[in-house]
Amino acid sequence: MSEPGTARLAESDVVHVAKLARLAITADEVERYTTQLGGMLEHFADIDSLDLSSVEPMTHPLPLSNVMREDVVKPCLDRGEVLAASPASEDGRFRVPPMAGEA
Amino acid sequence: MTMTAEPPEAAAHDVDDDVDIVNGYELVVGLEVHVELATNTKMFSSSPNHFGDEPNTNIDPVTLGLPGALPVLNKAAVEHAIRIGLALNCKVQPSIFHRKNYFYPDLPKAYQISQYDIPMNIDGFLMLPDGKRIGIERAHMEEDTGKSTHVGGTGGRIHGSEHSLLDFNRCGVPLVEIVSRPDIRTSEQARMYVSELHDILVAIGASDAKMEEGSMRVDANVSVRKPGEPFGTRCEIKNVNSIRSVGRAIDYEMRRQIDLIEGGDTVIQQTRHWNETDGRTHTLRTKEDADDYRYFPEPDLVPIVPSADWIEEIRESIPVLPAARRAHLSTVTGQPASGEAISVVTARGQDEYVLAVAHLGGDAGRALIYVKEAFADGPDVPAADLAVLTRLEVDGRLSATQAKTVLAELVANNGGDAEAIAAAKGFEAMDSSALESVVDEAISADPAAWEKYCNGDQKAVGALVGRVMKATKGQADGKAVTAILQSRRDA
């Protein structure tokens, strides 16, 4: 992130995030998104002006916890059907292009 | 005669001295261990969690990341994860899930559901059998990835492959990642840690922890430093698939880093791949920063907030752990708790059996040795039968060699009457009066040796005992023979 006192978002941040998301964006788009995303961050900055020292961080918008299911096996999808819907398959497995390297 | 000074017994077990110093450098290791949990179903869906099935037969919309599919947490997986935390002396706290985003086809959602800054278990420890304490930083839940097979290129590696094939049976299998603190100082400690962790996981039933099947996987963070200095730059070693290679990989990596530093280079933080065949580690990739994964809270899952009652209920389900079992077996058998016999027998889960033999009047020390030597495939011999055999031996009615022969019969027949087997082998005939007459025969057959023996020549006893052994086809107890000879001489 950029230095305090300057814009909340630098163009290099946008380029970095686009790379992580595997998005090819043009120089024009970098400029536009930097402005737009910066505007959004500016909006959230309003929250920074509030005193939230006594407010617990919210981990989920719903007042729920411990939603779980029993450990019981249910029928699976049919392999033939699923593989038929994929772009390519081989030996009962999904066939994908070579990977550039581990993530 | 020169006396050789023996080092004091304690020196070999002194924990503080247990530091590998090579060329003035100290080894620093932290281990990350992934274990697949022993559930029936996956972490967030109801497909079977089962190793070795036909590819892509255990799949469902959640596993495949199909649009609209939503995860629902497996209660049994949570219980196993809490059980692991408790067994490792962790604090069990409310936790949430995060998405760890990356593009790699082994996770079709393009993110892994994991726990990030608020993990389930924190601040625990594991005691090694030698008494060294290894801190546990955290033990958190996450889902496993699918299995990729790289086709073309060399050796099934990614580099140069033409395409990859994906099997999603493993995708979504529940995992717990156990992260140790960098408290490990020798490769032997690393091996002990993995071995002890394995035994604990099996004992509590949380995982089958089979390194050869990948249900327990070890990554080692290795660095070196001059003692007292800050930690050096670490490298993460992956693909360490056996307890033996844990030690080998760490020793190699330590050497590599020292050579780099001594040669004026620096260690670069990176992930390295252990190659079992050439015994080296190879560069896999330079480490991405944590925030490159764009972690954010998983909106499809709510927090896990285990109640104190639930945690207690799980705690009560935890059996006696291996360390306590070894200590108990040590007390009963009189053998050292960190010794090989006790380690092996406890790891096989046969300590209960040895205790049962002792309870039935058998000799616990002998039973421990028998079980270690002869019961690698499990005790199919009733404890009562083994108890009889150990008594026959410690009461001097069978020699060690004879007892071994009877033991082999017991194992071959899944039990039996040790006394009857001994009798059938003719061992029973070696009662004291029968033995005395054989000794007397030996004396009359070799009067010269007898005279020498009576005149104080201890070496002559060998010839007489040898005759008795020959006459009894080795079934006589050497100690008993010597005792009879002595009593004849002193009479």
Side-chain angles (χ1 to χ4, degrees):
Chain A
M1 282 295 171
S2 45
E3 294 295 308
T6 66
R8 294 199 162 262
L9 195 70
E11 290 196 351
S12 60
D13 294 326
V14 174
V15 169
H16 178 64
V17 171
K19 180 174 171 258
L20 290 177
R22 305 295 192 270
L23 293 174
I25 56 176
T26 64
D28 282 354
E29 285 170 324
V30 169
E31 203 182 323
R32 194 177 343 137
Y33 296 150
T34 304
T35 312
Q36 289 178 349
L37 291 170
M40 288 184 207
L41 289 174
E42 207 54 53
H43 176 65
F44 283 101
D46 290 349
I47 298 172
D48 290 344
S49 62
L50 303 173
D51 177 12
L52 300 173
S53 54
S54 59
V55 180
E56 282 284 300
M58 187 177 73
T59 49
H60 201 274
L62 302 176
L64 287 171
S65 62
N66 301 336
V67 177
M68 293 178 282
R69 66 180 167 80
E70 295 301 317
D71 186 26
V72 178
V73 173
K74 289 186 182 163
C76 294
L77 291 174
D78 178 76
R79 177 172 80 176
E81 229 175 285
V82 170
L83 289 178
S86 74
S89 66
E90 188 176 314
D91 291 338
R93 284 168 287 190
F94 295 89
R95 181 180 164 146
V96 299
M99 302 173 196
E102 264 194 82
Chain B
M1 191 170 151
T2 327
M3 290 294 289
T4 313
E6 288 289 327
E9 186 68 23
H13 301 286
D14 192 335
V15 175
D16 290 337
D17 283 352
D18 240 356
V19 173
D20 275 352
I21 302 285
V22 177
N23 288 18
Y25 290 87
E26 177 189 51
L27 176 71
V28 176
V29 175
L31 294 176
E32 294 173 13
V33 179
H34 287 84
V35 288
E36 289 181 349
L37 302 180
T39 54
N40 298 321
T41 67
K42 295 190 177 181
M43 188 154 167
F44 299 115
S45 62
S46 302
S47 292
N49 165 15
H50 191 259
F51 178 82
D53 288 345
E54 278 291 300
N56 290 310
T57 48
N58 301 332
I59 54 171
D60 55 71
V62 171
T63 299
L64 295 176
L66 298 184
L70 289 170
V72 187
L73 184 57
N74 182 344
K75 188 179 179 190
V78 175
E79 286 174 341
H80 279 317
I82 293 175
R83 199 167 283 127
I84 290 171
L86 293 174
L88 297 176
N89 310 291
C90 290
K91 183 188 165 208
V92 181
Q93 63 176 12
S95 59
I96 63 168
F97 290 104
H98 270 70
R99 288 188 184 180
K100 178 181 180 179
N101 297 278
Y102 63 90
F103 293 96
Y104 199 65
D106 61 8
L107 268 174
K109 302 194 298 301
Y111 58 84
Q112 179 189 34
I113 302 178
S114 180
Q115 295 193 306
Y116 182 49
D117 56 347
I118 315 178
M120 173 181 284
N121 307 295
I122 55 166
D123 292 337
F125 63 89
L126 181 150
M127 298 295 282
L128 298 183
D130 71 358
K132 164 100 179 172
R133 178 186 161 125
I134 308 296
I136 305 290
E137 188 176 313
R138 54 190 282 156
H140 69 260
M141 300 188 76
E142 63 185 31
E143 57 178 335
D144 209 345
T145 61
K147 187 174 187 296
S148 21
T149 309
H150 307 295
V151 181
T154 50
R157 298 287 303 279
I158 295 168
H159 187 71
S161 64
E162 286 152 18
H163 62 269
S164 300
L165 299 177
L166 287 152
D167 169 14
F168 291 120
N169 284 350
R170 197 182 66 187
C171 184
V173 163
L175 294 176
V176 165
E177 180 178 350
I178 300 153
V179 182
S180 88
R181 294 198 184 280
D183 291 345
I184 295 164
R185 291 292 175 274
T186 70
S187 57
E188 176 57 20
Q189 284 173 7
R191 286 154 41 97
M192 276 197 285
Y193 173 90
V194 174
S195 164
E196 187 68 8
L197 184 56
H198 168 274
D199 292 353
I200 291 172
L201 292 166
V202 171
I204 65 177
S207 175
D208 61 10
K210 289 182 182 166
M211 289 189 82
E212 67 279 13
E213 287 183 5
S215 61
M216 175 166 173
R217 307 193 283 270
V218 178
D219 300 334
N221 285 303
V222 179
S223 65
V224 298
R225 66 171 173 185
K226 293 269 170 67
E229 288 188 357
F231 291 142
T233 304
R234 67 191 153 90
C235 288
E236 182 179 4
I237 315 300
K238 288 191 173 286
N239 193 45
V240 189
N241 296 328
S242 68
I243 291 180
R244 183 168 164 267
S245 40
V246 169
R248 288 183 71 204
I250 291 171
D251 284 337
Y252 172 83
E253 182 61 19
M254 178 187 194
R255 190 72 251 175
R256 187 188 73 86
Q257 293 185 10
I258 292 171
D259 288 349
L260 271 180
I261 297 167
E262 292 287 284
D265 279 327
T266 49
V267 177
I268 301 161
Q269 186 176 344
Q270 58 185 189
T271 303
R272 300 180 66 83
H273 185 273
W274 167 248
N275 184 321
E276 187 67 49
T277 315
D278 70 7
R280 293 160 180 266
T281 63
H282 301 269
T283 307
L284 201 60
R285 57 191 144 98
T286 49
K287 193 80 181 162
E288 280 187 82
D289 292 328
D291 59 354
D292 272 11
Y293 290 118
R294 295 167 296 146
Y295 279 99
F296 64 87
E298 166 60 83
D300 292 337
L301 291 163
V302 298
I304 308 171
V305 185
S307 68
D309 284 351
W310 192 24
I311 293 174
E312 276 320 298
E313 197 180 301
I314 294 167
R315 193 191 299 277
E316 279 160 23
S317 76
I318 295 176
V320 181
L321 295 180
R325 282 163 48 197
R326 286 194 303 265
H328 182 48
L329 194 58
S330 168
T331 312
V332 173
T333 60
Q335 299 294 310
S338 57
E340 197 201 346
I342 288 195
S343 298
V344 168
V345 168
T346 308
R348 285 194 210 136
Q350 295 170 336
D351 47 330
E352 297 264 355
Y353 177 82
V354 173
L355 297 173
V357 172
H359 185 71
L360 291 166
D363 182 80
R366 291 313 303 161
L368 177 72
I369 302 306
Y370 290 161
V371 168
K372 178 190 165 256
E373 301 289 339
F375 288 14
D377 301 325
D380 273 343
V381 177
D385 294 351
L386 195 71
V388 171
L389 176 62
T390 62
R391 282 258 62 94
L392 288 174
E393 189 186 345
V394 293
D395 291 347
R397 293 172 58 196
L398 288 178
S399 68
T401 316
Q402 290 171 338
K404 235 176 219 176
T405 309
V406 175
L407 177 63
E409 287 286 309
L410 288 180
V411 171
N413 301 314
N414 298 335
D417 179 353
E419 293 218 55
I421 296 168
K425 297 262 175 206
F427 298 161
E428 191 78 310
M430 280 302 105
D431 63 25
S432 50
S433 67
L435 189 58
E436 278 175 33
S437 58
V438 179
V439 172
D440 288 340
E441 280 163 29
I443 291 172
S444 25
D446 196 349
W450 174 243
E451 203 180 323
K452 279 186 193 170
Y453 174 66
C454 289
N455 291 332
D457 183 355
Q458 286 296 324
K459 278 184 220 158
V461 80
L464 296 166
V465 172
R467 275 179 185 279
V468 175
M469 287 300 174
K470 198 175 170 192
T472 61
K473 299 191 175 70
Q475 288 164 11
D477 182 358
K479 270 188 227 157
V481 174
T482 316
I484 294 167
L485 285 168
Q486 250 173 25
S487 67
R488 287 283 187 280
R489 183 192 62 190
D490 301 341

